[in-house]
Amino acid sequence: MTTSHSAPPAPAPGKGERDPRGWVAPAIATALMVPLGLLALLLGGLSAMATDSCGPDHCPAALDTALARIDGMTDIGGPLAGAALFTAWLLPWTRRWSAPRVWLALGALVPPLAVLYLVLTLPAP
């Protein structure tokens, strides 16, 4: 009685093979997120002092709108950025997931960059 053992078929080249550079996009995003996130948190927190010269009731509507956007982006965008970066690290390291991993890593940088943009372009009181 002979049994023949055949080797399992090789995976098709392309989407199923391991991505040797799968760690690059999340690593770069993490390295950029640390200083950008801390700077956005610091400047976003200090931006409320822009109302010191006009008082809480006499500030222009544009300044109040910009400060509300900064607060919202800090409160909602921070956890979303962390979740996107965490997901970029956890995705399977195959070529099939390379594009979503890169997009998630890039998307994680949007909230701190948006806060910095809003802080640096605050209208004058």
Side-chain angles (χ1 to χ4, degrees):
M1 179 169 155
T2 57
T3 59
S4 69
H5 295 287
S6 62
K15 299 265 183 194
E17 61 188 51
R18 185 166 171 82
D19 187 6
R21 293 186 204 113
W23 60 273
V24 173
I28 291 173
T30 301
L32 289 173
M33 179 67 87
V34 171
L36 285 176
L38 291 174
L39 188 62
L41 191 59
L42 174 71
L43 293 179
L46 293 175
S47 65
M49 285 192 241
T51 62
D52 285 350
S53 64
C54 58
D57 298 327
H58 305 293
C59 289
L63 180 61
D64 289 336
T65 302
L67 291 174
R69 287 182 181 162
I70 290 170
D71 286 341
M73 188 63 68
T74 304
D75 294 343
I76 296 169
L80 285 177
L85 192 57
F86 188 68
T87 305
W89 277 108
L90 290 182
L91 283 176
W93 290 30
T94 58
R95 292 197 188 271
R96 176 181 180 194
W97 294 99
S98 293
R101 184 181 303 108
V102 169
W103 282 110
L104 281 168
L106 288 174
L109 297 174
V110 170
L113 289 174
V115 168
L116 290 174
Y117 174 76
L118 287 170
V119 167
L120 296 176
T121 59
L122 276 176

